[in-house]
Amino acid sequence: MKKITYIVALLTLVLVSSCTKDFEEINTNPNAPNSVQPSLLLRQVLYNFGENMSYEGFVAGDLLSQHRTAIDFNLFDRHALKSPQLGGNPWPIFYRNLRDNEIILKQSRQLSTLKVYEGPALILKAYMAAGLTDLFGDVPYFTAFNGTAGVTTPAYDSQESIYLDEGGILDNLDKGIAAIQNYSDAIPLQGDILYNGNLQSWVRFANSLKIKYLLRISSKVNVSAQLQALYNQGNYMTTNTQNAIFNFTNTAPNSFRLAQLRVGDFNNFVLSETMEDIMTNLNDTRIGKFFRPFAGSTSGQFNGLLNGINSGATSIALSNYSLAGTVFREDTSTLDCNFLTAWEVHFALAEAAERGLITANAQQLYESGVTLAFQYWNTPLPATYLTGNAAYNAPNSTPLRQILTQKWIANIINGYEGWIEYRRTGFPQLRTISASLNNNLIPVRMPYPPEEEALNRDNYNVAAGATDNNSINFPVWWNQ
């Protein structure tokens, strides 16, 4: 009996041991991998961030920059920024893609076969971090992507440190360039829908971003020597073939999102009065690319609406105002998701030259920027455009105003860039909106979203206290 009991016990021990040994294998789904290849993640980050921010740029960014206005569901257009409706909450877009990009960065540093991804991941981290902090100011950054290490309520970092400290925007651009230049293996970069794996294009992209971000903080930091060195080196975007973009298609799921939504959502957005007046004054033919003549027009005219109407008290006849052009709905195959372009870089350099930050021909850079912007929007440049009201030294204007107005025009739907540049420079002059919910003030930052107060309360309270109770009228660091 004792012998039988011993055998049973031994068999039980063997079975338990075997089950324990094989438990992880048995309970692992071979069709659900626990890690994602960086090539797939890179493609996902680039497309997800670009597509979402292009949509945000149309339905929210263009309202703040007064490129277009909303007829209904327009609390955001009236500057109730804590009440996003059809858009206006870019916070999760940034953090979701910064998180996924961090996975790519960690993988590239853990496995030598993935080393090629390090440089692009650092450059993308800098790009998305700049967009985030330029909208919100101080944000969780340095410890924000350490959830696997137990950091679930990250502290807010100052915008100054995010730009200037080690591991921040400018440092990551430098490190990204160095990682690419030091890479000598033959394993290609895959999943790259911006440059098809061309690493030198990523270096040029990073240098162009440095020009943009150095200029953005130039009121707080002496950046002249760095900008001059970048200009002298010449390794920045100079043609539209070097743009950091990907193309939308004419069919779902890769067409521009407004082309996929119901027509009522698309028809909610019309030409703004600000945009109409500026483009009409310049005799700018791109207005026919961006918008359509209003339905009630008898001679192909365009008509804009003042931003921020009270849709509950004002009746608007859609036929009296110009809808967005066919490029945003019927034919999105010529529409790009725009990360950075040669025309934007030229306008940045023209501004730097005009401000005396670099020694260069500001007028030449300006005129090149205008030419590139017309090419980008597939519109022939009129022969007299740069000698008329759009001339560099046009009467009743200033070169700086001309440069920044042209940058603003071309930045339509490019995220929130038009609004950010207006906040930084004051150009072009925007209008007091029709029925403001912000005391007739144009906001100067995005508010932290409600989920931050709920999920990261202690750190949120500190950040809200430092921005006058999360005020949309409290300027970010580079704008103070």
Side-chain angles (χ1 to χ4, degrees):
M1 186 69 176
K2 286 182 180 180
K3 185 175 181 181
I4 294 174
T5 302
Y6 173 76
I7 293 172
V8 171
L10 182 62
L11 287 172
T12 301
L13 181 62
V14 170
L15 287 171
V16 170
S17 175
S18 177
C19 287
T20 302
K21 179 180 178 182
D22 298 334
F23 180 81
E24 186 174 332
E25 181 178 344
I26 292 171
N27 286 275
T28 300
N29 181 356
N31 297 316
N34 55 18
S35 64
V36 182
Q37 294 179 3
S39 60
L40 299 177
L41 263 183
L42 179 60
R43 184 187 303 275
Q44 175 184 303
V45 168
L46 290 170
Y47 187 82
N48 185 275
F49 182 83
E51 191 277 332
N52 274 285
M53 289 306 290
S54 294
Y55 171 80
E56 278 281 318
F58 189 104
V59 301
D62 278 1
L63 304 184
L64 286 172
S65 61
Q66 297 187 13
H67 286 102
R68 63 184 99 240
T69 186
I71 292 176
D72 206 352
F73 301 105
N74 64 346
L75 291 178
F76 195 88
D77 196 25
R78 296 176 63 191
H79 295 159
L81 303 194
K82 295 181 182 179
S83 305
Q85 290 175 291
L86 296 177
N89 184 23
W91 183 275
I93 300 170
F94 281 102
Y95 277 103
R96 178 172 61 249
N97 287 288
L98 277 164
R99 175 203 64 197
D100 289 348
N101 186 70
E102 195 72 9
I103 296 172
I104 300 173
L105 185 56
K106 288 179 179 177
Q107 289 179 338
S108 73
R109 290 170 169 172
Q110 291 169 349
L111 296 172
S112 60
T113 55
L114 302 179
K115 192 70 174 173
V116 68
Y117 290 91
E118 183 178 14
L122 283 165
I123 294 165
L124 272 181
K125 184 174 182 177
Y127 174 79
M128 291 189 287
L132 174 68
T133 188
D134 287 346
L135 288 178
F136 294 93
D138 299 351
V139 293
Y141 174 73
F142 288 104
T143 59
F145 317 111
N146 294 333
T148 56
V151 180
T152 56
T153 55
Y156 284 61
D157 299 294
S158 72
Q159 183 178 63
E160 181 178 10
S161 66
I162 294 170
Y163 260 99
L164 301 178
D165 286 3
E166 183 179 359
I169 295 165
L170 295 173
D171 181 56
N172 279 339
L173 288 174
D174 286 336
K175 288 177 177 175
I177 292 170
I180 291 173
Q181 292 174 335
N182 293 333
Y183 181 73
S184 58
D185 289 348
I187 300 174
L189 178 70
Q190 297 181 317
D192 175 13
I193 60 175
L194 295 185
Y195 289 120
N196 196 31
N198 187 318
L199 293 177
Q200 294 313 307
S201 293
W202 279 89
V203 171
R204 188 187 300 114
F205 178 32
N207 283 329
S208 302
L209 288 174
K210 286 172 69 175
I211 291 171
K212 174 176 180 171
Y213 299 144
L214 287 169
L215 183 63
R216 187 152 287 175
I217 65 173
S218 60
S219 66
K220 307 297 287 187
V221 181
N222 185 350
V223 299
S224 181
Q226 296 175 75
L227 281 172
Q228 188 70 59
L230 287 163
Y231 176 72
N232 292 344
Q233 183 186 22
N235 192 20
Y236 52 82
M237 295 175 183
T238 57
T239 69
N240 283 320
T241 59
Q242 298 167 346
N243 292 342
I245 60 173
F246 66 77
N247 302 116
F248 290 109
T249 67
N250 248 348
T251 55
N254 296 322
S255 60
F256 181 53
R257 195 186 311 180
L258 263 294
Q260 302 170 28
L261 300 182
R262 64 188 184 92
V263 69
D265 290 335
F266 181 81
N267 289 350
N268 189 51
F269 300 92
V270 300
L271 171 66
S272 79
E273 196 172 280
T274 305
M275 186 72 153
E276 179 208 353
D277 285 353
I278 288 174
M279 298 195 79
T280 300
N281 178 62
L282 295 173
N283 296 313
D284 197 314
T285 52
R286 285 173 294 181
I287 195 170
K289 174 67 66 172
F290 300 154
F291 298 96
R292 317 170 198 225
F294 63 98
S297 168
T298 58
S299 57
Q301 300 158 294
F302 297 87
N303 194 33
L305 176 67
L306 183 65
N307 281 82
I309 64 165
N310 182 349
S311 59
T314 306
S315 178
I316 295 296
L318 184 63
S319 60
N320 290 335
Y321 300 99
S322 295
L323 293 168
T326 57
V327 67
F328 300 110
R329 187 167 179 87
E330 288 84 357
D331 183 13
T332 64
S333 63
T334 59
L335 187 66
D336 298 325
C337 169
N338 175 353
F339 284 70
L340 190 68
T341 57
W343 52 259
E344 185 177 356
V345 176
H346 278 73
F347 288 137
L349 289 170
E351 180 189 345
E354 181 62 30
R355 292 186 184 277
L357 296 173
I358 62 172
T359 300
N361 188 323
Q363 180 173 348
Q364 187 177 72
L365 287 163
Y366 165 77
E367 292 177 352
S368 294
V370 172
T371 302
L372 287 164
F374 269 81
Q375 290 174 356
Y376 175 85
W377 283 108
N378 299 302
T379 306
L381 177 67
T384 59
Y385 187 78
L386 288 171
T387 58
N389 288 343
Y392 183 73
N393 290 303
N396 304 315
S397 186
T398 66
L400 202 57
R401 178 180 177 181
Q402 297 293 85
I403 293 166
L404 293 163
T405 297
Q406 287 294 328
K407 184 193 283 189
W408 175 84
I409 291 171
N411 258 325
I412 189 170
I413 85 153
N414 189 23
Y416 294 80
E417 281 297 312
W419 176 55
I420 291 172
E421 286 292 273
Y422 164 78
R423 288 158 45 201
R424 183 179 68 85
T425 67
F427 292 114
Q429 184 175 352
L430 301 186
R431 302 193 174 199
T432 301
I433 66 174
S434 177
S436 174
L437 295 173
N438 189 43
N439 297 317
N440 289 321
L441 298 174
I442 295 177
V444 293
R445 63 176 287 271
M446 288 287 286
Y448 302 126
E451 54 263 34
E452 270 298 283
E453 185 175 9
L455 302 174
N456 193 10
R457 179 180 295 272
D458 290 343
N459 293 310
Y460 164 85
N461 286 338
V462 174
T467 53
D468 193 20
N469 194 28
N470 195 19
S471 170
I472 60 176
N473 302 313
F474 192 93
V476 300
W477 164 71
W478 49 250
N479 203 28
Q480 294 172 0

